[in-house]
Amino acid sequence: MSLVSSSAELAARAEAVIPGGVNSGNRRIAWPLGVIAASGASFTDADGQQLLDYHAAFGPLILGHNHPRVNAAVHQVIDRLDIVGIGVTNIEVELAETLVHHIPCAERVLLTNSGSEATYAALRLARAVTRRDTIVKFQGTYHGWHDAVLMNVISPPDRIGKKDPLSLGMLQSTIDETLVLPFNDVDALTEVLQQRGDTIAAILVEIIPHNIGCVLPEPEFLAALRQLTTQYGIVLIFDEVITGFRHALGGYQSLCGVTPDLATFAKAMANGYPIAALAGRAALMERFAPGGGVTFAGTYNAHPVGVTAALATIAELQDGRVHAHCRRLAERAARGIGEIAAELGIPLTVVQFGSVFVPYFIDPAHAPLRNYEALLANDTARDVWFRSQMCAQGIFMLPVAMKRNHVSAAHTDEDIDRTLDAARTVLAGMPARI
Ligand SMILES: Cc1ncc(COP(=O)(O)O)c(C=O)c1O
C-alpha cells in the first residue's frame, strides 16, 4: 500500500489516472477528499481528520462501518469458500429463503451485485411478460445508470415535464420508451394510463424517493399505483434499493401494506458489501429460470462474500433494536436542527423517516413536500453552504443539495449532541445572502 500524505496529494494522483479522480461520478465534491479508514460512525480522511459520517456511502451502512460481526462472518467464509460459479451454494439458498420469509412480494428471489443490475433485470422481465416496451418512472427518482432509467432526477426547473437524460451516449429509442410523471400525482397517473395503459410494461417507483431526500408517498397514491397497474396489466416494481432493510427487513412494502409485483434491493441489505436482489411473484420470476425465455446472468451473482455479509447483516436487524435506535437518533437530529433554525429565524424544513433525515431550506409553511416539483422551493445555495460548513466542523453531510443523512447503529446520543452543537454554530453564522 502506498503512503499518503494528504487528501490534496491523493486527489492529484487520482486525477492523473482515474477520469475526474473518482470511480463513480457523484463521489466528487468541491474539495479534494482522500479516505484512508472507516470505522463505526465515522471515517478518517487522508489529512488525519475524523469525520462523523451521515453520508454512509449513499446508504448501505445501517450498522456502521466495518461492523465486527459482519466482518467476522465474511472472514470465516473466505477461508472455506470462494467463487465456484456452478450449481448453488448452501448460503445463497439460505439467503433466498430468508428474503422470501421477510419480503411480502418475494415468492422467488434472484441475487446480483448492484442496484442497477436489479432494476435492469426487473424491467427486462416486465417487458418480456407483458410484451410491451414503454415504462413509467417519476420525476426525482434514481434507479441506476442504465439507459431506460437514467433521467429526470434532480432536474433544473426548465427540464421538468420534459426528458432530462443524465448522460450522453444513451439510446434515444430507449429514452423515448420511458415516460416521466410527477410523484404523488394520482390525476397525472390516471390520465396517462387512460391514454396508453395498454402499451406500458412497468411502473418503476422509488417508493420513498430518497434520491431527492425524503418525500413520502401518500396513501391514495400507493393505492392508485396498485389498483391501476392491476387494471391495465402493468407490472408494478418498487425500487427498495435504499428503503429495503434500512427501514424494515421486509422493505417499505411491509410498512405501507401495498405489495408490488417485483421489488429491487441492495445497499443496507449487506451493510456495504456488494450484493443486490430482485424479488417478486413466482409467476413472473419463474420466467428467469433457464428455459423460461428471459435471461438473468452474472459471473459474480451470489458471490459468497456478499451473501454472507447479507446474512450477517439481516441477523443484526432481526430483533428491531437497530431500527428503533436509528429512528430515535434521527428524530432527535431532525427535531433539534429544526428547532435551532426556528430560533434563528431561518426557513428550514427537516423531513425524517426512520434512520433518514433531510434538512431542506424551505419555509415550513410549504409542507407537506409532496414531490420534486415542491422541492424546487429549496434554497440550493444555503443547502450546500450549510452542508459544507458542517463538514468543516467534522460532521460529514454530503455537500450536495437535498441529499439525505443516514443514522446507523454505530451513531450515539453524543454524536447527535455534537451534530446539534455544530448545526447551531453553522446556522448562527449563515450569511443573509449566499
Ligand atoms: C433507489 C436506487 N435504485 C437503484 C440504484 C442503483 O444502485 P447501484 O448504485 O448499486 O447500481 C440506486 C443507487 O443509488 C438507488 O438509490
Side-chain angles (χ1 to χ4, degrees):
M1 212 197 319
S2 57
L3 284 176
V4 170
S5 57
S6 71
S7 277
E9 183 200 316
L10 197 56
R13 276 176 52 201
E15 274 180 31
V17 286
I18 300 170
V22 286
N23 270 301
S24 184
N26 50 13
R27 286 188 199 164
R28 189 150 130 166
I29 56 174
W31 58 88
L33 177 59
V35 177
I36 53 165
S39 172
S42 61
F43 66 85
T44 307
D45 71 17
D47 304 311
Q49 195 195 1
Q50 217 187 35
L51 292 126
L52 182 63
D53 187 11
Y54 286 113
H55 169 49
F58 288 98
L61 297 153
I62 183 72
L63 303 176
H65 288 283
N66 263 318
H67 188 269
R69 283 185 291 279
V70 176
N71 282 6
V74 169
H75 290 154
Q76 238 177 21
V77 82
I78 57 179
D79 280 344
R80 176 175 72 83
L81 179 67
D82 64 354
I83 186 169
V84 181
I86 195 77
V88 71
T89 63
N90 58 329
I91 50 176
E92 70 193 270
V93 177
E94 190 185 335
L95 179 57
E97 287 168 348
T98 306
L99 299 182
V100 167
H101 173 73
H102 286 294
I103 300 167
C105 79
E107 294 171 352
R108 298 286 187 279
V109 173
L110 281 165
L111 299 173
T112 186
N113 300 289
S114 67
S116 299
E117 290 169 277
T119 57
Y120 184 94
L123 292 177
R124 172 181 281 178
L125 177 60
R127 286 177 161 144
V129 297
T130 59
R131 297 178 182 270
R132 301 170 183 171
D133 289 338
T134 305
I135 63 147
V136 169
K137 80 176 278 289
F138 296 89
Q139 177 65 53
T141 62
Y142 178 74
H143 304 284
W145 44 253
H146 52 93
D147 289 8
V149 293
L150 187 62
M151 62 189 86
N152 297 79
V153 188
I154 300 191
S155 301
D158 63 337
R159 300 303 304 170
I160 308 264
K162 301 175 188 153
K163 296 287 170 65
D164 181 25
L166 295 181
S167 177
L168 298 174
M170 290 167 62
L171 273 182
Q172 187 59 47
S173 53
T174 306
I175 297 171
D176 292 343
E177 292 296 352
T178 300
L179 306 180
V180 183
L181 297 181
F183 188 76
N184 264 338
D185 189 333
V186 176
D187 291 343
L189 181 66
T190 308
E191 194 183 317
V192 163
L193 296 195
Q194 273 167 357
Q195 283 165 6
R196 48 190 303 188
D198 59 353
T199 66
I200 294 171
I203 296 186
L204 174 61
V205 56
E206 228 194 304
I207 198 58
I208 298 178
H210 273 314
N211 277 286
I212 48 171
C214 193
V215 171
L216 295 173
E218 293 166 359
E220 310 78 60
F221 182 65
L222 288 169
L225 280 173
R226 187 60 283 177
Q227 191 262 314
L228 291 169
T229 47
T230 305
Q231 180 182 337
Y232 287 97
I234 296 166
V235 178
L236 178 59
I237 309 166
F238 282 4
D239 183 344
E240 299 235 39
V241 163
I242 296 175
T243 52
F245 304 93
R246 173 162 288 283
H247 293 323
L249 273 179
Y252 188 71
Q253 60 191 268
S254 68
L255 301 176
C256 73
V258 174
T259 304
D261 301 306
L262 300 174
T264 53
F265 297 85
K267 299 206 190 240
M269 177 174 169
N271 200 46
Y273 283 90
I275 188 165
L278 171 60
R281 288 203 284 121
L284 303 180
M285 293 289 289
E286 283 296 339
R287 298 293 302 275
F288 277 127
V294 190
T295 296
F296 188 85
T299 302
Y300 300 110
N301 287 358
H303 191 288
V305 166
V307 168
T308 302
L311 284 167
T313 301
I314 292 169
E316 296 293 320
L317 299 175
Q318 290 281 358
D319 65 10
R321 276 191 296 184
V322 167
H323 289 122
H325 169 87
C326 296
R327 183 171 54 240
R328 186 178 66 76
L329 294 193
E331 277 167 7
R332 271 200 65 205
R335 196 173 46 246
I337 294 173
E339 283 169 5
I340 293 165
E343 270 173 45
L344 295 167
I346 295 172
L348 187 80
T349 303
V350 192
V351 183
Q352 175 261 334
F353 185 84
S355 56
V356 169
F357 67 94
V358 184
Y360 295 104
F361 284 81
I362 297 179
D363 196 309
H366 283 69
L369 303 172
R370 301 180 61 227
N371 49 32
Y372 179 73
E373 289 75 356
L375 299 182
L376 290 175
N378 188 42
D379 187 328
T380 302
R382 284 187 160 213
D383 195 350
V384 175
W385 186 90
F386 170 72
R387 291 157 176 274
S388 306
Q389 296 301 311
M390 289 298 281
C391 293
Q393 298 277 330
I395 312 289
F396 194 84
M397 295 181 166
L398 185 67
V400 175
M402 298 189 204
K403 286 298 170 190
R404 59 200 179 276
N405 296 294
H406 311 82
V407 174
S408 76
H411 286 76
T412 62
D413 274 296
E414 292 69 44
D415 291 330
I416 304 298
D417 293 342
R418 200 148 64 85
T419 302
L420 295 180
D421 286 348
R424 181 173 292 281
T425 307
V426 169
L427 288 173
M430 180 172 262
R433 276 177 181 276
I434 294 173

